[in-house]
Amino acid sequence: MIEDLYIQKFGRSPEVIAQAPGRLEFIGNHTDYNGGPVLGVAVDRRVSVALAARSDRQACFRSASMEGEVCVDIDSFAPLSGNESWANYPLGVLKELISAGMPIPHGFDMLVDSDLPAGAGLSSSAAFELASGYGYCGLYEFELDRADMARVGRRAENNFVGMPCGILDQGVSAFGDVNSLVKIDCEKELFSRLTLPDDVHFWVFNTAKKHSLVDSLYGTRHQECMEAHRRMQAPLPQAQNLAQISTAQLSEHQDLLGDVLYRRALHISGECERVLAVESALGKGDMATVGELLFESHESSRVNFENSIPELDILVDALKESQHVWGARLTGGGFGGAVMAVTNGQFGQADAEKIVAAYQEKFGQAATFFHTTTGPGASQGQLSAT
């Protein structure tokens, strides 16, 4: 338990604990920062934090999985680099909450622990941000609703960490629930839940591969989308973002974009249309159609957005040929990472092992996998009774 770990690390008991789940991007790849809709699922694995007040003005961070401590002055801190950069996630949230009016009469010691598999596309960064936010609010008796907490996490990652993400990760971590998908209208930042049918399971296959330029590639795709929208404003000045432009309109004005920008924009517009089609199919309990749309989403990532890699494609192709699999696609930003498979309950360990065996035969190295289910959203936890 994180309380016991906290005592080991800091020599005293925590005053507040909080947790937030990782998330799987169900469908809506890169639509969030383009103002489109997206569907995500909060999983049953999470990041937990524990905090207690200090008597000085220092904020000190420790990790259950690493040695050492990172300390800053809460009255004057800036983004950290190198081995200390992991603390930028809770520091960015702290900065945003201070800006929102949270009082900080004293410093604190924070411990973070996680059972989220590294590099598996579950957005541990957003979970860390949301868990930190709820931990701070518990320690300093400050209140924010779920939507505002998600916005705080997103701003922390944009402004302090320096990643131009949308609100997908933080929104799903905040609003997730058991047996539910989270739908986010990213333009209006509206959050709702869709009920999943019974017997829906998630299997995550992790390639453990990351493109060495993943951060710069993410930023490049962001810039390409902004440029595509800028060019499309000439014929469509009313379109405030790419999500408001249909695939038919893109085709009509393809000459304005050129091949690369057209394909980037086509992925975004197509994803927005697929999200709405998935919502409609879920309303009918039609998981076969949902699965087809997931496969289509991955193909668009491969061809149009070019944020897949051969390792991800091989996994998706193998899953497409497997029984009891409704659909599969890369999950997260892409350029490596993991594939999400949506299956029924008859897909099991032996089936997953066949997938990774095919992967190893192709690439000469193993992929890992795990099974997960839906889980609750971020919250302040309860300390054990003494």
Side-chain angles (χ1 to χ4, degrees), residues 81-129:
S81 59
N83 293 335
E84 295 184 336
S85 61
W86 65 270
N88 284 333
Y89 297 102
L91 282 174
V93 172
L94 179 65
K95 190 175 185 68
E96 291 296 333
L97 288 173
I98 291 170
S99 298
M102 185 180 75
I104 47 168
H106 51 73
F108 58 87
D109 290 324
M110 175 189 284
L111 175 68
V112 58
D113 191 20
S114 172
D115 64 356
L116 288 173
L122 297 179
S123 192
S124 58
S125 60
F128 194 6
E129 290 155 0

Side-chain angles (χ1 to χ4, degrees), residues 4-122:
D4 297 328
L5 290 171
Y6 192 94
I7 293 170
Q8 293 175 24
K9 293 280 188 177
F10 289 107
R12 59 195 174 113
S13 297
E15 299 172 32
V16 174
I17 60 172
Q19 60 79 35
R23 68 94 187 95
L24 289 168
E25 177 193 270
F26 193 83
I27 193 167
N29 186 247
H30 287 259
T31 58
D32 54 351
Y33 59 78
N34 285 291
V38 63
L39 298 177
V41 57
V43 301
D44 62 353
R45 302 183 182 218
R46 56 205 59 249
V47 172
S48 299
V49 300
L51 301 91
R54 293 173 61 104
S55 59
D56 57 17
R57 304 288 291 173
Q58 292 285 298
C60 292
F61 303 90
R62 294 188 181 186
S63 168
S65 61
M66 295 185 292
E67 294 298 323
E69 182 176 64
V70 178
C71 291
V72 302
D73 187 323
I74 60 175
D75 297 312
S76 177
F77 59 89
L80 303 172
S81 59
N83 293 335
E84 295 184 336
S85 61
W86 65 270
N88 284 333
Y89 297 102
L91 282 174
V93 172
L94 179 65
K95 190 175 185 68
E96 291 296 333
L97 288 173
I98 291 170
S99 298
M102 185 180 75
I104 47 168
H106 51 73
F108 58 87
D109 290 324
M110 175 189 284
L111 175 68
V112 58
D113 191 20
S114 172
D115 64 356
L116 288 173
L122 297 179

